[in-house]
Amino acid sequence: MKKSIKRFLIIATFIIIFFFVCNVIPPKKVVEHNPFLTDNLPMVAAHRGGGVSNPENTLKAFKWCVNTAKVEILEFDLYLTKDEQLVINHDKSINRTSDVEVLTNSSEKYYIADHTLDELKNFNLGYNFKKGEEYPYRDLVKVDDVNRKEVLAENDLCIVTLDELFGAFYEENKELLFIIEIKDKEERGKQATKLFYETLANKY
């Protein structure tokens, strides 16, 4: 019995040391060729475009992360709209972050796949963003404002297309990296992937 315990402890100690060496002291070649290390330090990625500091996945958030926080990677998800435009959002619907339920007077899910880009541009994606105890963007536009889209676009709080994001950063931030996940599945996922490839191949 004692021999079994001793053998177990030796094996467990070896495993712990092995993983410690692999994770804390990585092999030199791995460090040298790791694209996510700069000066042997991990690169900084903004999850959901930096959704903690600003309304997630909006141009306002992306611009703050790149220009102020100086992040090196932007992370975000893509969905295909009804009229086959690639837009950036974390969820299938825009209910969680926007004022869609106020404008539509309904709590039904407002799915990206069921609406055109023009329809989606009408909503304030900063509506439910909370800073401290305040909602700083709730009064930016009212339900009946005729110039809603213009105001939201000027404040970088409407839904963002992939083209718009690349257009905002590509020329002046050639070193900026991206972690992108296409969320649509099956045929829509294939079409989204095709459009994503065409966007990169034809414009960038």
Side-chain angles (χ1 to χ4, degrees):
M1 187 70 174
K2 288 183 179 180
K3 286 184 179 180
S4 298
I5 295 173
K6 187 176 180 181
R7 187 180 299 126
F8 171 79
L9 290 174
I10 291 172
I11 294 172
T13 302
F14 175 79
I15 291 172
I16 291 169
I17 293 171
F18 174 79
F19 281 106
F20 176 82
V21 170
C22 289
N23 289 283
V24 179
I25 313 171
K28 186 177 180 182
K29 286 186 179 180
V30 172
V31 173
E32 288 175 352
H33 301 290
N34 190 326
F36 297 104
L37 293 177
T38 55
D39 298 324
N40 290 338
L41 294 174
M43 299 177 78
V44 178
H47 183 241
R48 300 188 193 182
V52 173
S53 302
N54 290 278
E56 65 180 64
N57 294 314
T58 61
L59 268 180
K60 180 179 285 293
F62 290 125
K63 286 179 179 178
W64 185 87
C65 284
V66 174
N67 300 327
T68 303
K70 306 297 183 184
V71 303
E72 296 144 309
I73 308 169
L74 294 178
E75 184 277 339
F76 54 85
D77 302 325
L78 289 179
Y79 285 95
L80 196 63
T81 66
K82 184 179 180 180
D83 54 342
E84 297 195 341
Q85 301 294 314
L86 288 171
V87 295
I88 298 168
N89 205 58
H90 183 265
D91 306 338
K92 293 179 182 179
S93 72
I94 60 170
N95 292 59
R96 180 175 58 83
T97 56
S98 78
D99 56 354
V100 64
E101 294 180 9
V102 177
L103 266 69
T104 63
N105 197 29
S106 169
S107 60
E108 289 187 13
K109 292 292 184 184
Y110 201 88
Y111 291 107
I112 291 171
D114 296 336
H115 297 88
T116 65
L117 177 61
D118 187 61
E119 291 170 331
L120 292 162
K121 286 282 187 184
N122 200 44
F123 300 101
N124 178 4
L125 268 68
Y127 186 80
N128 286 323
F129 175 75
K130 192 174 182 180
K131 199 163 190 176
E133 297 301 316
E134 305 293 326
Y135 292 90
Y137 306 110
R138 281 202 169 175
D139 296 326
L140 184 65
V141 284
K142 294 181 173 57
V143 173
D144 55 353
D145 283 351
V146 294
N147 62 336
R148 280 182 60 87
K149 289 178 184 174
E150 290 80 5
V151 173
L152 292 171
E154 287 171 2
N155 286 273
D156 294 326
L157 287 173
C158 54
I159 201 161
V160 186
T161 67
L162 182 67
D163 264 344
E164 288 169 340
L165 181 71
F166 283 167
F169 300 115
Y170 181 76
E171 289 300 328
E172 296 182 4
N173 300 273
K174 293 290 180 69
E175 300 301 314
L176 186 64
L177 298 177
F178 302 90
I179 298 174
I180 304 171
E181 184 175 350
I182 294 173
K183 289 289 190 173
D184 291 294
K185 298 178 181 179
E186 299 174 350
E187 289 306 313
R188 288 187 63 81
K190 291 179 182 177
Q191 181 61 14
T193 303
K194 178 175 178 288
L195 291 173
F196 178 62
Y197 171 78
E198 289 174 353
T199 298
L200 295 181
N202 298 332
K203 297 184 179 181
Y204 305 101

